Amino acid sequence: MGLFSKKKNDIPQPNSQEEVQYRRYQHYYQEPVQPRKRKRGSKLFLFIAILIILVIAFYLAVMYMWSRTSDVDELVKIEDKSAFVQVEDMPDYTKNAFVAVEDKRFYDHEGIDLRGVSRALAVSLKNGQLTQGGSTITQQVVKNYFYSNETQLTRKVKEMFVAKRVEDKYSKNDILSYYVNNIYFGENNYTIEEAANYYFGATVDKNNPNLPQVSVLQSAILASVVNAPSNFDINNISDSYMTRIKTTLEKMKQQNYITDSEYTQAINELNQ
């Protein structure tokens, strides 16, 4: 009994000084409780993030349904133009001049160039406004035929949805043919054959024996004007337009659409 009594006396009593000190020690060193405001802030942030995602998803769903009203089968009507020429009947350097300057990954993507879109988005965020860049040739075909008069953001979203359908239905040559035969070259010319006839007295059709075939330089001039036909005059080439033509020729050479000798000859002709 003596042994048990001694151990019992060793245990601190409820109001003993040892227990009071121990409780003070626990109170001083216990981990601080996180404020409730932080939890509320996290919940609010999560709610806002989910709301934004839902709004974006709803917007994209509406744009997708709206884009379905565009019948991609109608693009074949471009072939009914009297001056229509398939790109298979053009010199390679002529059709690829547009690829070089407008959409160098045209033969690789499926209607949307994600790298181009990302680059355009980065520039837009930097400048604080939506830029014109990032559109593929396929998207430009869609824009020119279906959405030329619509606001930019709405149009671009629908362009992407429709461009994928166009790529699924048509070959790359068909799409490029629709592009060069349905864009504005200035002076009321809306096909590349009309433009070649009007400006140079030449033809882009290899099967046309009545006119001289369009040259490398002339192809670069036509490819360089479509981006800003109201600013560039083929009949009176300005310094800025000449710089753009040289850039187009350089891109054609870099992407192996023309040889070094063809590039040099075109530059010499331009400088004259």
Side-chain angles (χ1 to χ4, degrees):
M1 292 295 294
L3 179 61
F4 288 102
S5 298
K6 184 177 181 181
K7 285 186 177 181
K8 182 177 181 181
N9 292 334
D10 289 339
I11 300 174
Q13 298 302 311
N15 295 322
S16 66
Q17 184 177 1
E18 290 87 348
E19 184 174 2
V20 171
Q21 291 177 347
Y22 176 72
R23 289 179 177 176
R24 287 178 180 176
Y25 175 84
Q26 279 189 318
H27 177 73
Y28 182 79
Y29 285 100
Q30 68 181 353
E31 294 184 0
V33 178
Q34 294 294 331
R36 293 183 179 180
K37 289 183 178 180
R38 291 187 179 181
K39 293 183 178 180
R40 291 178 182 176
S42 299
K43 290 181 178 179
L44 179 61
F45 176 79
L46 180 62
F47 173 77
I48 293 174
I50 293 174
L51 182 62
I52 291 174
I53 292 173
L54 290 175
V55 169
I56 293 174
F58 177 75
Y59 175 76
L60 292 177
V62 171
M63 291 299 101
Y64 173 77
M65 295 304 296
W66 197 355
S67 73
R68 297 297 298 182
T69 63
S70 300
D71 185 2
V72 297
D73 292 341
E74 291 185 10
L75 290 175
V76 295
K77 294 180 180 179
I78 297 174
E79 298 181 17
D80 295 336
K81 293 185 176 184
S82 60
F84 180 87
V85 178
Q86 287 277 3
V87 295
E88 293 99 318
D89 295 327
M90 300 179 190
D92 288 341
Y93 56 73
T94 298
K95 67 178 184 180
N96 287 323
F98 294 86
V99 175
V101 73
E102 292 292 328
D103 186 4
K104 68 179 182 180
R105 285 183 285 275
F106 172 69
Y107 294 109
D108 299 322
H109 64 64
E110 296 183 357
I112 303 170
D113 183 1
L114 295 180
R115 280 188 283 179
V117 171
S118 301
R119 184 172 59 252
L121 181 60
V123 174
S124 298
L125 293 175
K126 181 178 179 180
N127 297 336
Q129 61 181 2
L130 191 61
T131 66
Q132 296 287 337
S135 291
T136 63
I137 283 178
T138 312
Q139 287 177 255
Q140 292 182 61
V141 169
V142 171
K143 179 194 71 175
N144 293 336
Y145 193 86
F146 295 109
Y147 304 129
S148 59
N149 295 322
E150 295 198 13
T151 56
Q152 192 172 351
L153 178 60
T154 299
R155 187 196 72 224
K156 276 192 171 295
V157 175
K158 289 191 293 184
E159 275 177 19
M160 293 182 184
F161 287 124
V162 181
K164 182 61 174 66
R165 289 163 52 206
V166 170
E167 289 273 346
D168 291 340
K169 183 173 180 60
Y170 299 101
S171 69
K172 288 292 186 180
N173 279 338
D174 287 335
I175 294 169
L176 190 54
S177 295
Y178 297 153
Y179 176 68
V180 297
N181 285 282
N182 198 44
I183 48 177
Y184 186 52
F185 291 92
E187 299 294 336
N188 204 35
N189 296 298
Y190 287 88
T191 71
I192 187 172
E193 177 69 0
E194 290 175 341
N197 294 169
Y198 179 84
Y199 292 115
F200 311 123
T203 180
V204 298
D205 189 351
K206 293 184 295 185
N207 301 316
N208 184 351
N210 300 317
L211 292 173
Q213 188 169 282
V214 70
S215 68
V216 170
L217 175 59
Q218 290 166 346
S219 300
I221 290 173
L222 293 175
S224 300
V225 77
V226 295
N227 190 261
S230 59
N231 297 331
F232 298 141
D233 184 358
I234 292 179
N235 293 317
N236 185 20
I237 296 178
S238 62
D239 291 341
S240 60
Y241 188 19
M242 182 172 290
T243 299
R244 180 169 174 80
I245 295 169
K246 289 180 178 179
T247 300
T248 298
L249 288 168
E250 181 68 28
K251 289 180 178 179
M252 292 171 69
K253 184 182 72 169
Q254 290 175 350
Q255 297 173 43
N256 297 318
Y257 292 135
I258 57 175
T259 64
D260 289 344
S261 60
E262 288 175 324
Y263 169 78
T264 301
Q265 181 180 346
I267 290 294
N268 290 336
E269 291 175 0
L270 180 62
N271 290 332
Q272 291 175 3

